[in-house]
Amino acid sequence: MNFGRQTPTIVVLKEGTDTSQGKGQTISNINACLAIQDTIRPTLGPLGSDILIVGGNGETTISNDGATILKLLDVVHPAARILVDISRSQDAEVGDGTTSVTVLAGELLKEIKGLVEEGVSTNTIIKGYRYAARLATEKIKSIAVKVDKSNPEELRDLLERCAATAMSSKIIYKNSAFFTKMVVDAVLTLDQNDLNDKLIGMKKVPGGSIEDSLFVSGVAFKKTFAYAGFEQQPKSFKSPKILCLNVELELKAEKDNAEVRVEEVSEYQAVVDAEWQIILSKLEACKDSGASIVLSKLPIGDLATQYFADRNIFCAGRVSSDDMNRTLQAVGGILHSTTSDIKPENLGTCDFFEERQVGSERYNFFTGCPKTKTCTLVLRGGSEQFIAEVERSLHDAIMIVKRAVKNNIVVAGGGACEMEISKYLREVSRSIAGKQQLLVAAFARALEVIPRQLCENAGFDGTDILNKLRMQHAKGEQWAGVDFISESTANNFDKFVWEPALVKLNAINSATEAACLILSVDETVKNEESGGGQGPPPGAMRGGMGVPR
């Protein structure tokens, strides 16, 4: 009892703070995610459309890669940003399936939107979805086919099939036969223990046709800034010694370096002579090392350029860190931070060095490297946007091949795997009592969005093909999927439409976790004016139980 005393009003949140909670907030979050799904679903599959995105500075990007599109879209809704995050994580972890994971997460939310509106507890839904995801994961592992890695021909065939499937939805699918060999060669060049894809360099040179692209088993980089005397240097060597430096070989003006007070001209001349002596001793050390090629991450000035030209030595300064690291991986040797005590065993070598014209650019090529654990793809094409999309397409294919090397279990693509899991979950749901039956069945229906969307994007009759697929899978044809050539269904495993099982496993688990996370939020606190550490962060979200799930 308060005996007539009034409880004072307590202000907890800063003025202007917007709070919304309960079932309405959960539905709002689901609708935001469905808007993201509607934006990206037309890009799914071999016949999906591209999206043209114009940035704030007028820069245009044309792509059908899910991770790229979502990264460029300025998504501000905090719940919808979760879909952006899972697309990025799929791209980082697997490299492909970025559109599929976003579409699947949206469909999982769409299937249970009605249940949320009817008042079913989100905790019950989360429990059902996690159970269904666990069943789906076990099913994928049980039906996946393992390929023998000990047979080089069989392994290469597997990698080429996976690369071709990854390219089927990309802009380069008509040239997939050309690029498949290039991608597999690139991955097999790497050290098979760590498979560091950053050692695969990609250089873009506008002009020429797409099949003018080059695979370089070694290193290629664009000719760096050159001083006078550069054209007098030799442009090709056989079995050269290569010296890699992190040393500046350039004279600096005295006024830029330090203040020197002198009383006589001879003293000033002594300072100048000392500077010249320092740089000449560095150049002499480079020549005495026996190197035919000198590369440096720092500038090599006009004096050094002319000095090397007079002695038939090739030099390149301002070589980027990435190019220098890949060069060291290919030719061997070490990066020197001083020119004193250069030992012959610390120099690199290759069979052949050449500077030659590629389109409108000059490129330096190091080939026949004894320690080659790196390679370079020189991409050609008609426009910069086109080449940029080719680069993104090849990145996805390289990541898929990389995963296939590490995990040599594959499943059929074209919606075959999703339909088989959907059939399995429907059968399991009939043996479960209570609300969980509805939730496992909802998960099964959501998986069908992949083959349905593939059909819709291709202009096929989605309902008719989906009915055929359900019938075939019910008869035990577990690899039946959408066939884009016959506009019907086919055994996609026999047609070599293969994908690493890791793509499906990661997509289903990521989509389920995203859906569960969004369902666990029942309150959003938003303060547009917050700053300086005061008040809650903009778009802060709270879990239904007030604790992290």
Side-chain angles (χ1 to χ4, degrees):
M1 297 177 66
N2 60 12
F3 300 103
R5 287 179 296 178
Q6 293 185 345
T7 304
T9 303
I10 300 173
V11 179
V12 177
L13 299 176
K14 191 175 177 180
E15 186 179 350
T17 300
D18 173 36
T19 62
S20 48
Q21 58 186 348
K23 184 169 66 177
Q25 181 57 48
T26 305
I27 297 297
S28 172
N29 289 341
I30 291 174
N31 288 338
C33 294
L34 295 182
I36 293 288
Q37 186 206 37
D38 289 341
T39 301
I40 207 166
R41 65 195 301 168
T43 67
L44 183 68
L47 301 178
S49 55
D50 291 350
I51 291 181
L52 171 63
I53 301 169
V54 183
N57 57 358
E59 185 178 342
T60 59
T61 303
I62 301 172
S63 180
N64 70 349
D65 180 61
T68 302
I69 294 166
L70 291 176
K71 184 169 64 177
L72 293 172
L73 292 177
D74 191 11
V75 179
V76 295
H77 194 285
R81 284 196 65 81
I82 293 171
L83 295 194
V84 179
D85 291 340
I86 62 165
S87 179
R88 287 184 179 180
S89 72
Q90 177 83 4
D91 190 40
E93 184 65 26
V94 186
D96 198 20
T98 53
T99 304
S100 301
V101 71
T102 311
V103 170
L104 183 55
E107 198 67 17
L108 288 170
L109 293 169
K110 187 176 182 181
E111 285 293 335
I112 47 82
K113 183 180 172 184
L115 295 177
V116 175
E117 289 171 339
E118 290 169 12
V120 176
S121 168
T122 53
N123 285 315
T124 305
I125 297 172
I126 290 169
K127 183 180 176 184
Y129 266 7
R130 285 189 171 150
Y131 175 64
R134 205 157 52 245
L135 291 174
T137 300
E138 292 168 0
K139 182 65 176 175
I140 291 174
K141 290 178 179 176
S142 68
I143 64 173
V145 178
K146 189 165 187 176
V147 178
D148 183 15
K149 287 175 73 173
S150 60
N151 185 336
E153 291 183 6
E154 196 171 330
L155 176 62
R156 186 176 181 90
D157 189 51
L158 155 73
L159 301 180
E160 289 186 354
R161 302 296 182 191
C162 290
T165 304
M167 291 181 197
S168 65
S169 62
K170 305 297 181 184
I171 198 168
I172 55 174
Y173 74 97
K174 289 185 178 176
N175 307 89
S176 60
F178 174 78
F179 282 109
T180 295
K181 182 179 183 303
M182 186 182 289
V183 165
V184 175
D185 286 342
V187 175
L188 293 180
T189 299
L190 302 176
D191 186 340
Q192 299 301 295
N193 293 321
D194 64 354
L195 290 173
N196 184 2
D197 55 277
K198 288 186 173 59
L199 293 177
I200 300 175
M202 290 199 198
K203 304 297 180 183
K204 296 175 279 190
V205 184
S209 74
I210 189 171
E211 295 205 358
D212 287 338
S213 300
L214 305 171
F215 171 78
V216 181
S217 179
V219 180
F221 56 80
K222 187 177 171 181
K223 170 187 166 184
T224 57
F225 178 84
Y227 287 92
F230 181 83
E231 292 305 327
Q232 298 170 32
Q233 295 178 353
K235 297 297 186 288
S236 66
F237 290 98
K238 287 186 178 178
S239 302
K241 294 292 183 183
I242 302 165
L243 173 62
C244 298
L245 298 172
N246 189 22
V247 178
E248 189 173 28
L249 299 177
E250 188 173 28
L251 274 173
K252 287 289 186 182
E254 290 77 11
K255 65 179 182 180
D256 295 338
N257 276 347
E259 181 179 328
V260 181
R261 300 197 176 203
V262 294
E263 294 180 357
E264 297 180 16
V265 175
S266 60
E267 292 178 7
Y268 175 73
Q269 187 62 44
V271 173
V272 174
D273 290 345
E275 285 200 323
W276 277 75
Q277 193 56 47
I278 290 169
I279 190 169
L280 287 171
S281 65
K282 290 180 181 178
L283 299 177
E284 196 73 26
C286 294
K287 178 182 76 72
D288 293 343
S289 70
S292 305
I293 298 172
V294 178
L295 305 177
S296 180
K297 293 168 74 173
L298 297 175
I300 294 179
D302 48 3
L303 169 68
T305 303
Q306 189 64 58
Y307 180 93
F308 288 135
D310 293 342
R311 290 154 183 80
N312 289 326
I313 297 173
F314 175 90
C315 70
R318 293 191 177 98
V319 179
S320 70
S321 293
D322 287 344
D323 289 336
M324 184 64 84
N325 291 339
R326 292 191 303 104
T327 302
L328 287 167
Q329 288 283 338
V331 304
I334 63 171
L335 185 66
H336 295 78
S337 57
T338 177
T339 55
S340 60
D341 195 28
I342 300 174
K343 297 178 181 176
E345 61 267 24
N346 293 332
L347 300 179
T349 187
C350 65
D351 287 348
F352 191 65
F353 164 80
E354 181 184 21
E355 181 183 296
R356 68 174 189 259
Q357 195 80 16
V358 179
S360 60
E361 307 286 357
R362 300 280 291 176
Y363 267 76
N364 298 324
F365 290 83
F366 298 82
T367 53
C369 306
K371 298 184 179 180
T372 298
K373 298 295 180 187
T374 180
C375 61
T376 308
L377 309 182
V378 182
L379 307 179
R380 307 297 307 280
S383 69
E384 289 185 9
Q385 289 94 338
F386 179 79
I387 299 175
E389 180 63 3
V390 170
E391 182 184 20
R392 287 189 286 270
S393 303
L394 290 180
H395 170 264
D396 286 4
I398 285 168
M399 291 294 286
I400 283 296
V401 173
K402 175 183 167 182
R403 296 303 172 192
V405 170
K406 285 190 172 181
N407 305 280
N408 57 324
I409 54 171
V410 295
V411 294
C417 184
E418 286 83 1
M419 288 301 296
E420 180 63 20
I421 302 164
S422 178
K423 182 209 80 168
Y424 171 68
L425 292 180
R426 285 177 196 274
E427 291 173 351
V428 172
S429 70
R430 298 190 191 107
S431 63
I432 303 173
K435 295 175 184 174
Q436 298 298 316
Q437 181 185 47
L438 294 173
L439 298 168
V440 175
F443 198 101
R445 286 195 304 275
L447 287 168
E448 290 185 349
V449 71
I450 301 297
R452 187 189 304 117
Q453 196 62 45
L454 290 174
C455 295
E456 288 181 11
N457 292 348
F460 303 160
D461 185 343
T463 306
D464 179 47
I465 290 179
L466 224 60
N467 285 335
K468 284 183 182 177
L469 287 175
R470 289 194 193 106
M471 180 183 70
Q472 289 170 338
H473 281 268
K475 290 179 179 177
E477 299 177 31
Q478 68 177 14
W479 298 127
V482 181
D483 182 15
F484 295 94
I485 297 173
S486 65
E487 298 189 14
S488 183
T489 64
N491 185 319
N492 279 352
F493 204 88
D494 290 348
K495 289 179 103 31
F496 300 110
V497 182
W498 294 357
E499 291 183 82
L502 187 65
V503 176
K504 302 299 182 188
L505 290 169
N506 204 75
I508 287 175
N509 288 320
S510 296
T512 306
E513 284 302 319
C516 292
L517 181 59
I518 290 163
L519 288 170
S520 71
V521 174
D522 76 336
E523 179 173 353
T524 301
V525 181
K526 193 173 185 182
N527 187 357
E528 299 290 350
E529 300 176 4
S530 66
Q534 296 180 1
M541 296 192 294
R542 190 198 75 176
M545 300 299 291
V547 293
R549 297 181 182 277

